[in-house]
């Protein structure tokens, strides 16, 4: 009987709470750290930060373009700035400022997209950020990261605070499980959370936990060993890991809370194909349509982004690979 990985996984906090706690820890000794928000201190879990460090938080109101421009200006004077706003608005309304004031000018601003993906649920497509990977991957000099759990969140925030270059980190709203605490985290390096020889599931952000569920199901019901990798950094990709998978010819399934256009899946596929690797490959994400209306979990379920749905897609990919 296969090992049920879920028995080893404990529930943690919402990543945003860990984000806020980590910022407070950094601010205790780093007075150059500033947080700039666009009426987002509540939704960004930053009220405790504002209470402890009122002189290190700047509120610009609902003005996302100003948020990014002001953050870039502060960073240019030597401040380490975290600009916090809902991901859907931060990466759409402020795209020009991100491109020019932050990335082109190489200002050390960490752009924090909160309530990312479909976290806003029933507020609908206007409030979903299913474009942010695609938009920001196309901008030079930008790290794009989606932490999967509290461990990755803490490390991502610490590494971003120590960086001299632009970073984008996106967070959802709900509590997240602690997946693994013993696997190192570094921007640009995927975390292998589960070893496997039959196929690889590469997931990012809040889709990593259901990918782990799927791997446990595949082992339990089919005796298959699926590797699960948290590809927390969509840019830069872990090309060393992808090359290894390409050389092994392992079927690869990617999973993301993003449009199937321009995200993790297409980034991985492009790298593999240009490296002349021809692995069986499938992208799971949100199809090219306006989403159904409902909670984040309802939307995930509708598009099969849950343990059983990912396991089914993995089996279909393996069957197709065998017939090829």
């Amino acid at each position: 009987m296969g090992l049920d990985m879920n028995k080893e996984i404990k529930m943690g906090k919402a990543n945003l709470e860990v984000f806020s706690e980590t910022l407070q820890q950094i601010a205790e000794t780093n007075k150059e750290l500033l947080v700039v928000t666009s009426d987002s201190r509540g939704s960004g879990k930053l009220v405790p930060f504002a209470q402890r460090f009122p002189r290190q938080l700047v509120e610009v109101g609902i003005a996302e373009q100003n948020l990014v421009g002001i953050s870039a200006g502060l960073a240019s004077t030597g401040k380490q700035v975290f600009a916090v706003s809902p991901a859907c608005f931060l990466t759409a309304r402020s795209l020009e400022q991100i491109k020019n004031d932050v990335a082109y000018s190489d200002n050390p601003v960490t752009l924090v997209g909160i309530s990312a993906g479909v976290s806003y649920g029933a507020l609908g497509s206007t409030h979903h950020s299913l474009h942010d990977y695609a938009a920001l991957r196309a901008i030079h000099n930008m790290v794009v990261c989606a932490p999967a759990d509290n461990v990755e969140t803490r490390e991502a925030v610490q590494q971003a605070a120590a960086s001299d270059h632009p970073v984008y980190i996106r967070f959802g709203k709900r509590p997240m499980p602690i997946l693994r605490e013993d696997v190192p985290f570094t921007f640009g390096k995927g975390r292998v959370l589960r070893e496997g020889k039959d196929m690889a599931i590469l997931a990012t952000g809040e889709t990593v936990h259901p990918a782990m569920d799927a791997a446990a199901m595949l082992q339990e019901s089919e005796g298959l060993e699926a590797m699960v990798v948290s590809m927390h950094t969509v840019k830069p990709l872990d090309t060393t890991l992808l090359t290894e998978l390409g050389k092994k010819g392992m079927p690869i399934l990617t999973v993301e809370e993003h449009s199937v256009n321009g995200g993790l899946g297409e980034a991985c596929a492009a790298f593999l194909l240009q490296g002349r690797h021809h692995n069986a490959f499938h992208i799971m994400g949100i199809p090219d349509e306006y989403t159904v209306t409902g909670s984040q979990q309802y939307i995930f379920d509708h598009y099969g982004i849950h343990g059983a749905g990912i396991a089914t897609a993995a089996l279909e990919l393996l069957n197709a690979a065998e017939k090829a």
Side-chain angles (χ1 to χ4, degrees):
M1 181 175 292
L3 175 65
D4 182 358
M5 291 294 291
N6 289 319
K7 292 181 180 178
E8 300 182 1
I9 294 176
K10 62 181 179 180
M11 186 56 65
K13 305 175 182 179
N15 284 340
L16 273 174
E17 292 184 27
V18 177
F19 159 67
S20 178
E21 292 169 0
T22 306
L23 281 184
Q24 291 174 62
Q25 292 167 2
I26 298 169
E28 288 175 354
T29 57
N30 182 1
K31 300 308 177 184
E32 300 304 308
L33 183 142
L34 294 178
V35 175
V36 186
T37 75
S38 58
D39 195 29
S40 304
R41 73 178 71 185
S43 53
K45 305 299 182 185
L46 291 166
V47 171
F49 183 97
Q51 292 171 339
R52 291 187 62 191
F53 306 101
R55 295 180 64 84
Q56 290 176 252
L57 185 137
V58 179
E59 175 61 69
V60 303
I62 302 176
E64 291 82 4
Q65 293 170 333
N66 288 345
L67 168 85
V68 177
I70 290 169
S71 295
L74 289 168
S76 72
T77 69
K79 302 297 184 181
Q80 190 71 42
V81 184
F82 282 74
V84 183
S85 184
C88 56
F89 307 132
L90 177 65
T91 59
R93 291 178 179 172
S94 311
L95 189 61
E96 181 179 0
Q97 286 72 26
I98 292 172
K99 181 184 74 170
N100 294 333
D101 299 343
V102 175
Y104 179 72
S105 301
D106 196 22
N107 282 310
V109 176
T110 298
L111 303 155
V112 180
I114 64 175
S115 302
V118 294
S119 293
Y120 272 128
L123 289 179
S125 294
T126 57
H127 283 60
H128 295 163
S129 55
L130 301 175
H131 63 279
D132 49 347
Y133 298 162
L136 298 187
R137 278 183 57 230
I139 295 176
H140 174 62
N141 196 29
M142 181 67 65
V143 170
V144 179
C145 177
D149 66 358
N150 296 174
V151 174
E152 293 188 0
T153 295
R154 182 177 62 251
E155 294 295 326
V157 173
Q158 290 174 342
Q159 291 183 26
S163 175
D164 294 327
H165 306 287
V167 177
Y168 171 69
I169 307 176
R170 60 130 77 169
F171 296 118
K173 297 170 67 174
R174 63 181 179 178
M176 298 305 298
I178 308 297
L179 299 174
R180 291 282 294 272
E181 298 184 83
D182 57 336
V183 181
F185 176 99
T186 303
F187 285 139
K189 296 294 181 183
R191 297 175 73 227
V192 179
L193 303 181
R194 181 173 178 136
E195 297 286 353
K197 61 180 177 59
D198 295 311
M199 68 171 304
I201 304 175
L202 311 182
T204 190
E206 298 195 3
T207 66
V208 177
H209 183 217
M212 292 284 280
D213 286 343
M217 293 177 184
L218 289 168
Q219 184 172 2
E220 183 72 26
S221 63
E222 307 292 335
L224 295 170
E225 297 180 15
M227 173 188 288
V228 179
V229 180
S230 174
M231 293 290 274
H232 48 76
T233 310
V234 178
K235 181 184 178 182
L237 281 173
D238 187 343
T239 55
T240 300
L241 175 62
L242 285 171
T243 299
E244 292 174 359
L245 296 177
K247 289 179 177 178
K248 292 177 180 177
M250 292 177 70
I252 297 173
L253 175 67
T254 65
V255 192
E256 59 196 301
E257 186 182 3
H258 185 274
S259 169
V260 294
N261 298 325
L264 173 68
E266 285 198 348
C268 293
F271 176 81
L272 288 166
L273 189 59
Q274 290 182 99
R276 296 176 175 80
H277 302 295
H278 300 282
N279 306 57
F281 195 96
H282 181 69
I283 299 171
M284 285 192 76
I286 307 300
D288 191 5
E289 65 186 44
Y290 292 115
T291 63
V292 295
T293 300
S295 67
Q296 180 193 39
Q297 190 59 55
Y298 180 86
I299 296 170
F300 273 22
D301 290 345
H302 179 82
Y303 294 112
I305 304 175
H306 50 70
I310 296 171
T312 297
L315 285 173
E316 291 175 351
L317 178 63
L318 286 167
N319 290 334
E322 291 176 356
K323 295 176 181 178

